[in-house]
Amino acid sequence: MPDNVHQYTQTRIAPTPSGFLHLGNVLSFSITAALAQKHGAKILLRIDDIDRARVTRQYLQDIFDTLNFLEIPWDDGPRGVEGFEKNYSQLQRMPIYMEALEQLSSKGQVFACTCSRKQISNVDGSYDESLCTCFDQQIPLSTENANWRLITNNEELVIKDYSGKGICTTLPIEMHNFIVKKKDGSPAYQLTSVMDDLLYGVDLIVRGEDLWPSTLAQHQLASALGEHDFKDITFYHHALMMETSGKKMSKSAGSTSIKYLRENDKSAADVYAMIAGMLGSKENISNWQQLAEIVVL
């Protein structure tokens, strides 16, 4: 590795088993693998299974099937569903998440909210904090069927970008007072993601540009928890692959899955070539290394 290439310790591939993985997921995984290779980082497979209502065993199995089929490497983490459930499920880290929630509670940094999403949403579906009066009512945190929302502020957030620049910004309106504990009592995604990345020593995170608001929310949450090491994580936000309709690819929306392509006799090389073509490339692409080369800085 050239001396002028910055070294990282750990990055991660962090799929959610809420549907079959699609072409957009493969693009993100390929970029992650390429940057890990470039910077000498290990790759952790971290499966986000905290949302138990959406997790199924077939979706879990699909993660391993897809990564193996496409020969995308990872160094740490489970090698199959049984190993995942036994040693790596987020359910096993629940004490860590609950301790973080207790810390937020003891410091008065959260409030209980019994509003439904419809009650506090604008016509376009975006969150409108002015429609929620729960903070003023001081609803007890022990109230059943209540979310816990982080009390956010307008503090400046500095994101360490892959380009080497520090991006200074503030939390977008739609992320004000975001949920950290759901009505069913389980920790929300933003909290589990922050705690997991800190636990595993992740210092390079690759994610789609649609998750920029989540990156900001997670910096805000880490600050509230006093987890200042989170500021040292470098973020690479990549452009998204889009459907022909112009919408982003989504597992829940039924975007073309790798499982479907594999079962219809497409090879791994076919999948990579398909992604490259959708990105407008005319190069002969047949693996994740070549795919990443056409999109990575």
Side-chain angles (χ1 to χ4, degrees):
M1 180 182 299
D3 292 339
N4 62 345
V5 175
H6 181 81
Q7 285 195 283
Y8 294 103
T9 302
Q10 184 90 291
T11 186
R12 84 293 202 275
I13 292 173
T16 301
S18 57
F20 296 115
L21 297 180
H22 55 68
L23 297 172
N25 297 125
V26 176
L27 174 62
S28 188
F29 298 165
S30 298
I31 295 172
T32 301
L35 291 180
Q37 185 179 73
K38 177 179 179 179
H39 296 281
K42 288 187 175 182
I43 302 173
L44 165 72
L45 174 57
R46 192 198 82 197
I47 299 174
D48 291 348
D49 69 327
I50 201 69
D51 189 350
R52 304 308 297 175
R54 301 174 68 190
V55 173
T56 71
R57 191 174 181 85
Q58 66 174 343
Y59 294 153
L60 282 169
Q61 184 61 51
D62 179 65
I63 292 172
F64 299 100
D65 291 344
T66 297
L67 292 173
N68 289 324
F69 171 64
L70 296 172
E71 298 183 347
I72 295 173
W74 72 97
D75 303 287
D76 300 322
R79 294 288 158 180
V81 173
E82 290 186 3
F84 166 73
E85 292 178 335
K86 182 177 180 180
N87 299 308
Y88 292 97
S89 170
Q90 288 185 310
L91 296 180
Q92 297 180 356
R93 299 191 290 280
M94 193 65 75
I96 295 174
Y97 309 143
M98 301 313 290
E99 182 179 349
L101 286 169
E102 178 58 33
Q103 180 180 336
L104 294 172
S105 171
S106 65
K107 291 184 176 180
Q109 294 174 309
V110 291
F111 68 93
C113 172
T114 57
C115 295
S116 68
R117 179 175 296 184
K118 184 177 180 180
Q119 286 176 300
I120 53 179
S121 295
N122 292 312
V123 176
D124 63 359
S126 61
Y127 170 66
D128 187 342
E129 62 181 318
S130 67
L131 298 176
C132 176
T133 61
C134 292
F135 176 77
D136 295 328
Q137 296 179 48
Q138 292 294 295
I139 299 172
L141 292 178
S142 58
T143 301
E144 291 188 6
N145 297 316
N147 292 312
W148 283 12
R149 292 183 176 275
L150 185 72
I151 301 172
T152 59
N153 52 45
N154 203 37
E155 72 176 70
E156 183 178 77
L157 303 170
V158 181
I159 312 303
K160 191 174 180 181
D161 185 65
Y162 181 76
S163 67
K165 299 178 182 178
I167 300 176
C168 300
T169 185
T170 55
L171 199 65
I173 292 176
E174 67 267 25
M175 297 304 290
H176 284 191
N177 301 337
F178 60 89
I179 294 171
V180 293
K181 183 181 181 182
K182 296 187 290 186
K183 289 183 177 181
D184 63 4
S186 64
Y189 163 75
Q190 306 297 0
L191 186 134
T192 60
S193 185
V194 167
M195 300 312 296
D196 282 354
D197 285 331
L198 289 169
L199 175 67
Y200 287 111
V202 171
D203 55 0
L204 174 63
I205 293 176
V206 177
R207 54 175 41 153
E209 61 187 6
D210 60 322
L211 289 178
W212 175 246
S214 284
T215 294
L216 301 182
Q218 289 170 16
H219 275 75
Q220 179 88 75
L221 177 57
S223 176
L225 288 167
E227 298 286 359
H228 303 299
D229 288 348
F230 199 81
K231 295 180 180 179
D232 296 327
I233 299 176
T234 294
F235 285 81
Y236 182 107
H237 292 85
H238 61 81
L240 302 178
M241 287 186 62
M242 310 302 286
E243 301 274 15
T244 53
S245 63
K247 295 182 179 180
K248 73 174 185 177
M249 290 194 169
S250 167
K251 293 194 293 290
S252 60
S255 298
T256 302
S257 70
I258 307 306
K259 180 176 185 291
Y260 173 84
L261 295 172
R262 189 178 70 247
E263 292 176 348
N264 282 270
D265 300 323
K266 297 295 184 182
S267 67
D270 291 334
V271 172
Y272 287 117
M274 185 181 301
I275 297 172
M278 294 176 70
L279 293 174
S281 173
K282 296 181 179 180
E283 296 184 34
N284 184 20
I285 303 299
S286 62
N287 56 50
W288 62 264
Q289 295 97 327
Q290 294 171 344
L291 176 62
E293 284 180 2
I294 69 175
V295 293
V296 173
L297 289 174

